C-alpha cells in the first residue's frame, strides 16, 4: 500500500493540532485517543500507485483542516497529479473508544482556519505494510520510500 509521509516540520504541526483537538474533546470524559502514524493514506480506489512512480507524477500534497466523522478524527488530503487528476485520502489522527454523543464541530476553531490548508513542498511517498495486532492496535513498517520535492 502506498502512503505519503509529511516532512518532519509538517508532521510536528499535525501532531500539535492532534493533541489540541484530543484535549478539547476529552475535557469532560476521556473517549478519544490518538492514532499513529500520521501518514496520508489514499482512498481505496486510488491506492494502486507505487512509491517509485509517485516521485515523478505528483505535483502537490495538500492537507486540509481536521474533521470528525463517526468515530474518527482525520485530516482530509488531496494529492495532485501532474496530468491534472487528484487523489483523495486521509491522515487518521484520532479514534473514539466508546459510543458517545457527537462532538462539537471542530472546524470553527480560529487557529485551524489560519493554519490550514497546508501545502507540503517536501514529503515522502512510501510503500508500507500494515498488520492488525488487535482491535485497537496495528503494526506498520516502511518497505521503501522516496523523497518528493515539489515547486
Amino acid at each position: 500500500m502506498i502512503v505519503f509521509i509529511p516532512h518532519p516540520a509538517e508532521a510536528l504541526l499535525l501532531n500539535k493540532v492532534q493533541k489540541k483537538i484530543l484535549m478539547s474533546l476529552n475535557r469532560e470524559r476521556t473517549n478519544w485517543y490518538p492514532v499513529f502514524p500520521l501518514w496520508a493514506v489514499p482512498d481505496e480506489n486510488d491506492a494502486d500507485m507505487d512509491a517509485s512512480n509517485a516521485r515523478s507524477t505528483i505535483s502537490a500534497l495538500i492537507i486540509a483542516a481536521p474533521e470528525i466523522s463517526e468515530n474518527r478524527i482525520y485530516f482530509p488530503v488531496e494529492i495532485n497529479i501532474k496530468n491534472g487528476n487528484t487523489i483523495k485520502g486521509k491522515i487518521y489522527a484520532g479514534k473514539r473508544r466508546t459510543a458517545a454523543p457527537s462532538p462539537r464541530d471542530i472546524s470553527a476553531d480560529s487557529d485551524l482556519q489560519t493554519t490550514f490548508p497546508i501545502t507540503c513542498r517536501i514529503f515522502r511517498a512510501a510503500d508500507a505494510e500494515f498488520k492488525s495486532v488487535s482491535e485497537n492496535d496495528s503494526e506498520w513498517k516502511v518497505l521503501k520510500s522516496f523523497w518528493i520535492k515539489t515547486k
Side-chain angles (χ1 to χ4, degrees):
M1 150 188 280
I2 189 167
V3 296
F4 298 93
I5 304 170
H7 185 274
E10 282 89 9
L12 180 62
L13 177 65
L14 293 175
N15 188 273
K16 286 180 180 181
V17 170
Q18 174 192 43
K19 184 176 181 178
K20 181 178 179 179
I21 291 168
L22 291 171
M23 284 175 48
S24 173
L25 291 172
N26 287 328
R27 270 195 193 118
E28 296 163 15
R29 179 177 175 211
T30 303
N31 243 357
W32 294 86
Y33 63 94
V35 174
F36 295 102
L38 295 174
W39 293 349
V41 179
D43 292 342
E44 289 182 26
N45 56 345
D46 293 323
D48 58 352
M49 178 186 296
D50 74 350
S52 59
N53 69 21
R55 186 180 215 180
S56 61
T57 59
I58 293 181
S59 62
L61 174 69
I62 301 164
I63 303 170
E67 298 178 6
I68 296 178
S69 178
E70 297 177 15
N71 293 328
R72 298 270 192 179
I73 301 168
Y74 64 91
F75 297 92
V77 175
E78 282 188 7
I79 300 131
N80 295 332
I81 308 296
K82 289 180 181 173
N83 68 7
N85 291 339
T86 300
I87 296 173
K88 302 280 186 186
K90 294 179 175 105
I91 298 175
Y92 290 101
K95 188 174 181 181
R96 192 181 334 199
R97 287 183 205 264
T98 59
S102 292
R104 66 177 177 79
D105 181 18
I106 60 172
S107 63
D109 188 325
S110 62
D111 288 344
L112 297 179
Q113 292 176 356
T114 58
T115 305
F116 293 94
I118 299 170
T119 302
C120 300
R121 289 190 51 243
I122 301 171
F123 55 93
R124 288 190 296 160
D127 290 325
E129 187 176 279
F130 290 87
K131 183 171 59 172
S132 198
V133 176
S134 68
E135 181 182 335
N136 294 323
D137 210 6
S138 63
E139 291 180 351
W140 45 268
K141 65 180 175 180
V142 172
L143 304 174
K144 61 182 174 179
S145 71
F146 300 92
W147 282 100
I148 297 174
K149 184 175 182 181
T150 63
K151 294 180 181 182

